[in-house]
Amino acid sequence: MFYSRYKELGEEFAVLAEPNIFTQSEVLLINEQLNECTGLKWQSEEVLQYLSGQASLPDCESVSLAYSGHQFGHFNPLLGDGRAHLIGTFTGTEGVEYDIQLKGSGATSFSRGGDGLCALGPAIREFIMSQAMLSLGVPTTHCLAVLSTGQTVYRQGHVPGAVVARMARNHVRVGSFQLLALKQDKTAMSELLELCIRDSFEDITSQGEERVYAFFNRVCQAQCSLMLKWLQVGFIHGVMNTDNTLVNGETIDYGPCAMMEGFSFSRVFSSIDSQGRYAFGQQPNIASWNCARLAESLLLLCESEEEAIERFSKSLADFSEAFNQGYRQLWQDKLGLLDWNDEDQSLINELLELMTTHKLDYTNTFAGLTAHTMNTLRDQYPLANELGNWLSKWSARTEQYSKDIMINTMKMVNPALIPRNELVEEVIADFYRDGKSEQLRDWLIALKSPYDYRSLPQKWLTPQSDTTHYQTFCGT
Ligand code: AMP
Ligand code: MG
């Protein structure tokens, strides 16, 4: 049932590496739904044994994957899993394959002086965020479980260590292709391409170079959809390096990520992103830039560079066009505009300017407009006074519409509940203090229905008092 599928790509690509054995480990969080619906169906003893390194998966050899990456625009030829072990792959329900990877499971040949470990806080964050993102409708890698290691790690001081068990359709990054291009390893790259097509773009039937072009086109589409989803829910990834970009378009590496609260396209949370390269509104440009780096790598598989550049450029242009269309549609839907007229762009711009000027909460502003249209929960999502005259313009513009259709449209794209940063921090503090969090259970259940407008505890809805000071950190 379990197998190792990256070995075929060569021992430099998938380097044999044993995870640490944590004998004092305990399972702190487990995603039971994921365990069930993927067909994994592990008993609690199996969870503990396999994810703490105490037992290896049957028929599997654990590996760390090599990859290159552009980090903040600078190329690093050899990154790789510095603190992660891919312990195996299994074919689950409906033939879907899932990799199981441990993060924080010890040093590897790619650790570059790092300790290979993970602190408890970021592990908890990854568990909450990946689950919330899935329910928000955003393609994402999954977190099966978080385990304590029974050991401490040294960050700003000594803190408890943890292992995150991640599940993903695959772990192929733009940086994986960059590495093989650097090595000029055509055979491995062809195999990697086939693996990605098999996993995510099965319907590609063309052969030869057309297959490469079709693959690239689909990666661009997947990244375009992902960016629109991030924009829709206000997600800021924080470290969109090419090594943190999966070609299948799933969100990966919940490091310094955060949810935008006070609206601004230039909002940044990551402490190291001083230039705003990965700011909220920059993300689509960066995704396209990352796709261009993939195109450069794929040139290795193409006979005529000139033709390949032309075809890849066309896909990148299609990305822009699809994004622009989706972008307009997104704001249109968020405002419940069921058709488009010439003045709508300025109606949208005016709202976004007001939201920026007054740092209005992104989620609650649109939830407020939705609740206002539903004529319910108006106290829960009060409309900001600062919207003033704009509200009358919007009301006049939407007066003609069937309220039911408008509500359905708005509810699809305006979440009523998001995983707010301060609450994530509170839950993390609970774990550091008590080794558990009483409040997490109910919150996680609620986060499973983020588009369901119902009465919710105010605490879950209130933005951080001063969002501008919230900062997140990499490599924690
Ligand atoms: P990130 O930007 O968090 O995806 O990490 C960039 C690179 O640093 C990856 O190659 C990681 O495996 C590596 N890395 C991050 N934290 C650690 C750590 N504590 N020990 C070893 N390697 C790490
Ligand atoms: Mg990474």
Side-chain angles (χ1 to χ4, degrees):
M1 185 185 173
F2 295 96
Y3 44 95
S4 304
R5 62 172 171 169
Y6 293 95
K7 279 196 319 191
E8 294 153 29
L9 295 157
E11 50 193 38
E12 287 177 28
F13 185 90
V15 180
L16 288 176
E18 290 294 327
N20 287 1
I21 300 168
F22 296 110
T23 52
Q24 303 302 311
S25 210
E26 274 177 48
V27 180
L28 298 180
L29 293 169
I30 166 101
N31 186 336
E32 289 294 0
Q33 199 180 347
L34 187 68
N35 188 28
E36 277 303 310
C37 74
T38 55
L40 190 61
K41 300 189 178 185
W42 272 346
Q43 303 297 312
S44 38
E45 194 51 27
E46 291 172 296
V47 174
L48 178 67
Q49 292 284 313
Y50 293 136
L51 304 184
S52 65
Q54 295 179 45
S56 347
L57 289 179
D59 307 319
C60 291
E61 284 181 307
S62 161
V63 294
S64 289
L65 298 182
Y67 44 83
S68 308
H70 273 90
Q71 298 180 298
F72 289 88
H74 302 287
F75 186 63
N76 191 333
L78 190 56
L79 286 166
D81 293 330
R83 53 168 171 170
H85 296 81
L86 210 156
I87 57 171
T89 301
F90 76 101
T91 307
T93 316
E94 291 176 8
V96 178
E97 290 181 287
Y98 292 97
D99 288 347
I100 305 178
Q101 193 198 51
L102 308 181
K103 180 164 150 186
S105 41
T108 71
S109 55
F110 305 111
S111 296
R112 294 171 296 143
D115 58 10
L117 303 173
C118 179
L120 176 60
I124 302 288
R125 178 184 287 112
E126 177 147 353
F127 189 90
I128 299 170
M129 291 304 294
S130 55
Q131 194 163 313
M133 289 281 272
L134 183 71
S135 304
L136 283 162
V138 185
T140 179
T141 56
H142 312 283
C143 186
L144 174 64
V146 173
L147 283 79
S148 62
T149 60
Q151 299 177 2
T152 57
V153 301
Y154 190 75
R155 294 297 181 254
Q156 271 95 6
H158 285 284
V159 288
V163 168
V164 176
R166 181 156 69 193
M167 277 170 60
R169 298 290 297 269
N170 64 42
H171 282 81
V172 183
R173 304 150 191 266
V174 168
S176 315
F177 281 89
Q178 288 182 292
L179 177 82
L180 297 177
L182 194 70
K183 289 175 175 287
Q184 295 283 295
D185 192 340
K186 224 169 155 168
T187 312
M189 194 186 285
S190 300
E191 273 181 36
L192 190 64
L193 181 94
E194 288 309 320
L195 185 150
C196 294
I197 291 178
R198 218 170 39 240
D199 277 353
S200 312
F201 311 117
E202 232 180 351
D203 53 321
I204 295 180
T205 51
S206 43
Q207 295 301 321
E209 276 179 42
E210 286 301 326
R211 197 165 175 79
V212 182
Y213 302 143
F215 165 71
F216 182 67
N217 199 43
R218 295 296 291 278
V219 174
C220 288
Q221 285 173 10
Q223 286 297 320
C224 175
S225 309
L226 184 66
M227 291 306 108
L228 288 165
K229 284 284 178 190
W230 286 4
L231 278 173
Q232 181 198 316
V233 303
F235 178 75
I236 302 178
H237 183 280
V239 60
M240 285 179 73
N241 296 333
T242 54
D243 53 297
N244 290 337
T245 302
L246 289 187
V247 295
N248 68 14
E250 290 176 352
T251 310
I252 193 169
D253 275 344
Y254 290 92
C257 66
M259 300 303 293
M260 183 172 59
E261 297 192 305
F263 179 79
S264 168
F265 281 121
S266 50
R267 188 73 177 96
V268 169
F269 287 99
S270 171
S271 59
I272 54 169
D273 192 5
S274 52
Q275 306 290 311
R277 179 179 168 89
Y278 300 142
F280 179 62
Q282 279 303 318
Q283 299 184 120
N285 292 333
I286 293 293
S288 165
W289 191 89
N290 289 348
C291 284
R293 305 290 77 76
L294 174 64
E296 284 164 5
S297 308
L298 291 171
L299 285 176
L300 182 66
L301 300 179
C302 304
E303 283 288 311
S304 156
E305 188 168 307
E306 201 177 330
E307 190 194 344
I309 290 174
E310 197 181 308
R311 298 291 294 273
F312 291 145
S313 304
K314 168 81 173 65
S315 289
L316 287 169
D318 290 348
F319 178 138
S320 293
E321 200 182 313
F323 180 80
N324 289 337
Q325 264 182 28
Y327 184 74
R328 194 183 88 176
Q329 188 67 49
L330 176 65
W331 296 120
Q332 203 179 319
D333 292 349
K334 274 183 154 311
L335 290 181
L337 305 175
L338 304 181
D339 58 0
W340 184 255
N341 79 30
D342 291 345
E343 278 126 58
D344 288 339
Q345 194 58 58
S346 43
L347 189 73
I348 292 168
N349 292 348
E350 199 182 320
L351 173 65
L352 297 180
E353 275 166 34
L354 281 169
M355 288 170 66
T356 311
T357 308
H358 301 289
K359 297 197 176 103
L360 299 186
D361 184 76
Y362 184 57
T363 303
N364 288 354
T365 301
F366 287 103
L369 296 176
T370 311
H372 185 88
T373 311
M374 293 167 77
N375 201 12
T376 179
L377 302 171
R378 287 184 181 207
D379 292 344
Q380 185 165 292
Y381 300 106
L383 289 166
N385 291 334
E386 289 88 346
L387 293 180
N389 198 25
W390 180 89
L391 267 183
S392 331
K393 289 191 208 171
W394 173 68
S395 297
R397 169 69 182 88
T398 53
E399 205 176 37
Q400 40 158 333
Y401 295 138
S402 140
K403 288 291 165 275
D404 284 347
I405 303 180
M406 224 181 128
I407 290 163
N408 284 340
T409 306
M410 294 175 85
K411 277 173 71 178
M412 301 262 283
V413 290
N414 295 332
L417 181 67
I418 55 156
R420 291 195 178 271
N421 309 320
E422 199 169 18
L423 272 157
V424 174
E425 294 304 328
E426 243 186 59
V427 169
I428 290 173
D430 291 346
F431 270 92
Y432 277 138
R433 197 184 49 245
D434 308 328
K436 62 180 181 187
S437 172
E438 298 297 347
Q439 56 179 331
L440 180 59
R441 195 176 154 271
D442 287 348
W443 190 39
L444 275 181
I445 293 171
L447 284 167
K448 285 194 177 176
S449 316
Y451 297 101
D452 186 3
Y453 280 72
R454 75 282 198 198
S455 176
L456 292 166
Q458 199 56 45
K459 184 178 181 193
W460 294 347
L461 306 174
T462 312
Q464 197 146 28
S465 39
D466 184 4
T467 53
T468 50
H469 293 314
Y470 185 64
Q471 270 205 330
T472 55
F473 301 90
C474 273
T476 43

